[in-house]
Amino acid sequence: MKISAVKKIIKIAVDVAMFVLFLLLMEYHLLSSVVHEWLGITVFVLFLAHNALNYKWYAVLFKGRYTAMRIVQTVINFLLWLAMIGCMVSGMLVSGTVFAWLNINGAQVGRTLHLIATAWAFILIGIHLGLHWTNFVSMTKRIKLPELAAKIIKWLCRAVVLAIGIYGIVVFIQRAFYEELFLITMFKQFDYDISAFAYLLQTIAMSVTFIGITYYLKKLGIFIKKIRKEKQNEKVN
């Protein structure tokens, strides 16, 4: 197997592991503090690994022309960096086990920062995935299927994603997730009666919402750009 293929597999494995573990971290009220802290450390290490594996993006950061899409992607990436650092720093401040030996007296500030940092990290991860979802779509297109079957599967997938995305909006409203994003409240009330699995499915639905919205907004932007370019070409001709 070629080195490039191995690197691609490692990248996918790191990204999938980081995403799944972050979803589990969103169930902080259903996990023990020890498990939550170690999961948080693991996610941050995977985040660093993700950036190290994508070092070429940083290498060309000050090269080339910045289109609107490139500006958006760059801003999202750096906001995600800030959110993840905020998650780690605030996690250390509120740690009652792993980092307890540091004796940092910043639990109150840490709780506030952790609440808002994790909320924004969750949203930004969804947006980041949505901006790069074309990579996944292009991989699925390599699967050879009869034309009719391919169309049926494509529209079925769209319908499923739409249904999940709508449910994700319902969950977002029910959980009042906006309170965490804009720090409207300092403490969250959770439903401890719901099973961990059901809560995880709800969290996934919310993530699908932001991935889907971002992906289709990007497609819309590309379509508008294409139309404008065609009109400019018509004027020239």
Side-chain angles (χ1 to χ4, degrees):
M1 188 179 291
K2 295 181 179 179
I3 295 176
S4 59
V6 173
K7 186 178 178 181
K8 190 172 184 179
I9 292 172
I10 293 173
K11 277 185 176 183
I12 294 172
V14 168
D15 293 350
V16 170
M18 180 170 58
F19 180 62
V20 172
L21 291 180
F22 197 92
L23 290 175
L24 292 175
L25 278 173
M26 295 300 291
E27 302 197 27
Y28 38 82
H29 65 295
L30 299 173
L31 301 172
S32 68
S33 59
V34 177
V35 172
H36 184 81
E37 288 185 31
W38 279 113
L39 279 181
I41 293 169
T42 304
V43 167
F44 191 72
V45 171
L46 289 172
F47 177 74
L48 295 177
H50 168 84
N51 282 274
L53 289 167
N54 292 278
Y55 69 93
K56 289 183 179 179
W57 183 81
Y58 294 96
V60 297
L61 194 59
F62 299 104
K63 298 178 181 179
R65 187 172 68 91
Y66 269 81
T67 61
M69 184 55 64
R70 189 181 180 189
I71 292 171
V72 170
Q73 290 179 330
T74 302
V75 170
I76 294 299
N77 287 348
F78 278 104
L79 287 176
L80 184 53
W81 254 110
L82 290 175
M84 293 299 288
I85 291 173
C87 289
M88 191 62 201
V89 171
S90 59
M92 293 173 68
L93 290 173
V94 299
S95 174
T97 52
V98 181
F99 296 104
W101 57 274
L102 292 174
N103 293 319
I104 303 175
N105 297 318
Q108 187 173 354
V109 174
R111 288 191 191 95
T112 303
L113 177 59
H114 203 63
L115 188 69
I116 192 170
T118 52
W120 277 107
F122 175 77
I123 299 297
L124 290 167
I125 286 173
I127 296 173
H128 180 79
L129 283 171
L131 289 171
H132 294 84
W133 202 250
T134 48
N135 297 333
F136 173 77
V137 174
S138 62
M139 287 173 61
T140 60
K141 287 181 178 179
R142 295 176 186 175
I143 303 172
K144 300 299 181 181
L145 291 172
E147 186 177 350
L148 179 61
K151 285 184 178 181
I152 292 173
I153 292 173
K154 181 171 68 175
W155 283 102
L156 183 62
C157 288
R158 286 176 176 175
V160 171
V161 169
L162 178 61
I164 295 173
I166 292 172
Y167 179 61
I169 294 173
V170 173
V171 174
F172 183 88
I173 296 170
Q174 287 180 340
R175 288 192 190 178
F177 200 75
Y178 48 85
E179 292 182 346
E180 298 165 60
L181 289 171
F182 303 106
L183 210 61
I184 296 173
T185 181
M186 301 295 287
F187 299 97
K188 291 292 292 184
Q189 296 294 327
F190 300 104
D191 183 6
Y192 287 90
D193 294 328
I194 188 173
S195 68
F197 183 68
Y199 194 87
L200 178 61
L201 290 179
Q202 290 181 349
T203 305
I204 292 172
M206 276 204 301
S207 184
V208 169
T209 299
F210 289 99
I211 293 172
I213 289 173
T214 305
Y215 172 69
Y216 283 106
L217 281 177
K218 182 181 178 180
K219 285 194 70 173
L220 178 62
I222 293 172
F223 177 74
I224 292 172
K225 184 179 179 180
K226 182 181 177 181
I227 295 299
R228 287 178 177 174
K229 190 174 181 180
E230 288 177 353
K231 287 183 177 180
Q232 288 176 351
N233 292 335
E234 287 177 0
K235 290 180 179 179
V236 171
N237 296 329

